[in-house]
Amino acid sequence: MGDATTVNPTTSPIARPRPLRLSLDIPLFLAVVFLLGFGLLMVYSASWMPSAAHTQGRSVSYFFTNQIKWAIVGSVIATVLMYFDYRRFYPFVLWMMGLTIILLLAVLLFGQTLNNSRRTLMGGSIQPAELAKLVTILYLAVWLQSKREVLNKITFGLLPLITILGLVSGLILLEPDISTALTILAIGGLLFFLAGVDLRQILLIILVVGVVAFVVTSFSSTGQTRIRDFIAGLQDPLAASYHIQRAQEAVVRGGIFGVGIGEGTTKLTSLPLPHHDSIFAVIVEETGLVGAFLLITAYLVVLWRGLLIARHAPDMAGALIAAGISFWITLEALMNILAMLNLLPATGNVLPFISIGGSSLVTTLAGVGLLMSVARVSAREQEISERRIYGAVVSLRRGDRRRRVSRPRHPSGTGQ
């Protein structure tokens, strides 16, 4: 007992490798399908009045049918990206970032003005700030991989990173879109941390983001109002902003099991933007804490599978892409949910897969497609590696048999 066991590859059994599969991450797929289907259902429930107002009473399903259209477009893009090797994007990330910056500039010059901000192009059909989130993740992942040997040098790591993030988030701040700009800064800092830089630069990143957030909120009347309302709401729920009071009213009415899908009344009487920023409040009112728990669980599954995919990615850029996309989706969901509960200042972030918005939905589904691509490439490379090992062992065994067959025998036939 206690002796080490030696395994002889020429005699020990080895399992035949599994055949190449589609390599679909089932838990991630099911979580996204649930979020997408549940989102369409809740958009249908929450958008009756906004649709009627938008179409001057001609249709109560305008936003719902529009969301279905973008869900189909996004699903097709996600499917194509899933079967496309994500590494083929590496040579084009610089061009993708350049195009995104051009689109952000075009918004400031030619964008449609709505509610004192310019965020869209082509009559509201394209919102480049949403595209900027995904492109920034791709660009930084490839850039960080190429600079991994010198990232701990501030002039090669931190300063270029601040320049990249500052340019993108600065253009978005000019729209103005504070929440998206801060989201991009947060994701960029997180990817920088995951790339393995030293603690000194991480602390500098936190300091820079904190200073930017302070300056933006100090000079933005909207930011000041949101901070003031948030603090007042923490002290007294009745002193919170009108938006948050109505959202909390919907949450209280929902209780444990909700009033039933389609039966909520807050969305019809007082809740601002029930099909957009406030849709989580509608979800809790109509499906209760049970529905909220299922929704949050689905987002946590996306995070769990994304981090697992990142852990097994075949290269550093793939790991950063997977981690960045999964953190992006769950971060936006967290910010939206906490804002509706007055546990975070109102940010304006959408609820991924749920809130209306073609640009947001298509970009998020494209991110899921890339996440699936990383998982698929990782699984296929592992299976190919198993096949090579199996083939090498089989060849070794065959060679051993040939040597034994060709070994000369003693004339007596005893082999002695």
Side-chain angles (χ1 to χ4, degrees):
M1 295 181 62
D3 295 337
T5 302
T6 302
V7 178
N8 187 344
T10 63
T11 59
S12 301
I14 181 170
R16 183 180 294 274
R18 296 165 295 180
L20 291 177
R21 301 168 297 173
L22 293 178
S23 303
L24 182 67
D25 191 299
I26 299 299
L28 176 61
F29 176 76
L30 293 178
V32 171
V33 168
F34 169 78
L35 288 168
L36 191 59
F38 188 60
L40 290 173
L41 178 63
M42 295 313 303
V43 165
Y44 180 71
S45 174
S47 64
W48 297 347
M49 284 189 65
S51 293
H54 185 81
T55 61
Q56 297 180 347
R58 291 192 298 273
S59 173
V60 295
S61 60
Y62 170 80
F63 286 116
F64 172 66
T65 54
N66 209 42
Q67 191 78 343
I68 289 179
K69 176 185 70 176
W70 291 118
I72 293 172
V73 171
S75 298
V76 171
I77 292 174
T79 303
V80 172
L81 290 176
M82 181 177 69
Y83 289 102
F84 189 88
D85 191 329
Y86 69 94
R87 293 170 295 190
R88 294 186 180 181
F89 283 110
Y90 290 0
F92 307 105
V93 292
L94 182 60
W95 295 99
M96 294 166 65
M97 178 57 76
L99 177 60
T100 302
I101 291 173
I102 291 173
L103 290 174
L104 291 174
L105 287 170
V107 168
L108 298 177
L109 297 174
F110 314 110
Q112 179 185 16
T113 302
L114 182 65
N115 297 327
N116 299 318
S117 64
R118 288 188 175 187
R119 300 184 182 181
T120 60
L121 294 171
M122 298 179 63
S125 299
I126 299 177
Q127 190 170 350
E130 293 295 330
L131 177 64
K133 299 172 186 176
L134 181 58
V135 172
T136 299
I137 292 172
L138 284 172
Y139 179 83
L140 288 181
V142 177
W143 179 78
L144 288 168
Q145 177 174 262
S146 67
K147 303 295 182 183
R148 60 184 178 274
E149 302 297 334
V150 293
L151 283 179
N152 285 321
K153 298 180 180 179
I154 292 181
T155 53
F156 292 98
L158 182 61
L159 292 182
L161 179 77
I162 292 176
T163 302
I164 296 166
L165 294 178
L167 178 59
V168 176
S169 59
L171 290 173
I172 294 173
L173 278 174
L174 292 175
E175 296 180 0
D177 189 346
I178 299 174
S179 60
T180 298
L182 292 178
T183 299
I184 287 177
L185 288 175
I187 293 173
L190 179 63
L191 291 180
F192 198 50
F193 167 74
L194 293 175
V197 298
D198 58 38
L199 181 60
R200 177 185 56 173
Q201 295 197 68
I202 295 300
L203 294 176
L204 285 174
I205 282 284
I206 295 174
L207 178 62
V208 169
V209 173
V211 169
V212 170
F214 175 77
V215 171
V216 168
T217 53
S218 297
F219 288 92
S220 168
S221 58
T222 301
Q224 291 178 2
T225 301
R226 289 179 177 180
I227 294 293
R228 200 163 43 241
D229 290 341
F230 169 67
I231 295 174
L234 288 178
Q235 297 172 344
D236 180 7
L238 297 179
S241 67
Y242 177 82
H243 189 169
I244 299 303
Q245 286 188 46
R246 301 289 77 78
Q248 292 179 333
E249 176 187 336
V251 170
V252 171
R253 289 192 72 252
I256 297 178
F257 298 104
V259 299
I261 294 178
E263 300 298 323
T265 57
T266 311
K267 65 188 179 187
L268 304 175
T269 57
S270 57
L271 184 65
L273 301 173
H275 57 318
H276 198 260
D277 293 4
S278 308
I279 198 166
F280 179 73
V282 178
I283 290 172
V284 181
E285 180 180 8
E286 299 190 354
T287 65
L289 295 178
V290 173
F293 174 78
L294 293 175
L295 182 70
I296 294 171
T297 299
Y299 285 121
L300 291 177
V301 169
V302 172
L303 178 62
W304 163 49
R305 300 308 299 180
L307 294 181
L308 195 62
I309 291 169
R311 181 181 177 184
H312 294 96
D315 61 347
M316 176 180 171
L320 293 177
I321 289 171
I325 290 172
S326 54
F327 273 118
W328 158 42
I329 292 173
T330 50
L331 177 64
E332 288 221 279
L334 181 66
M335 292 172 70
N336 179 279
I337 291 170
L338 293 181
M340 288 297 99
L341 300 176
N342 200 46
L343 298 177
L344 191 73
T347 58
N349 291 74
V350 299
L351 194 59
F353 303 106
I354 310 293
S355 301
I356 66 155
S359 295
S360 172
L361 184 58
V362 170
T363 305
T364 306
L365 286 171
V368 171
L370 285 172
L371 190 57
M372 290 283 196
S373 175
V374 176
R376 181 172 174 271
V377 169
S378 302
R380 289 180 69 85
E381 288 202 353
Q382 181 181 356
E383 291 171 356
I384 291 172
S385 178
E386 291 175 357
R387 284 175 169 269
R388 288 173 179 169
I389 294 173
Y390 178 80
V393 172
V394 169
S395 298
L396 186 60
R397 285 178 174 176
R398 288 174 179 171
D400 184 66
R401 292 194 192 100
R402 292 192 191 101
R403 285 192 297 271
R404 281 183 289 181
V405 170
S406 61
R407 184 183 302 164
R409 294 180 176 271
H410 191 273
S412 65
T414 61
Q416 299 177 349

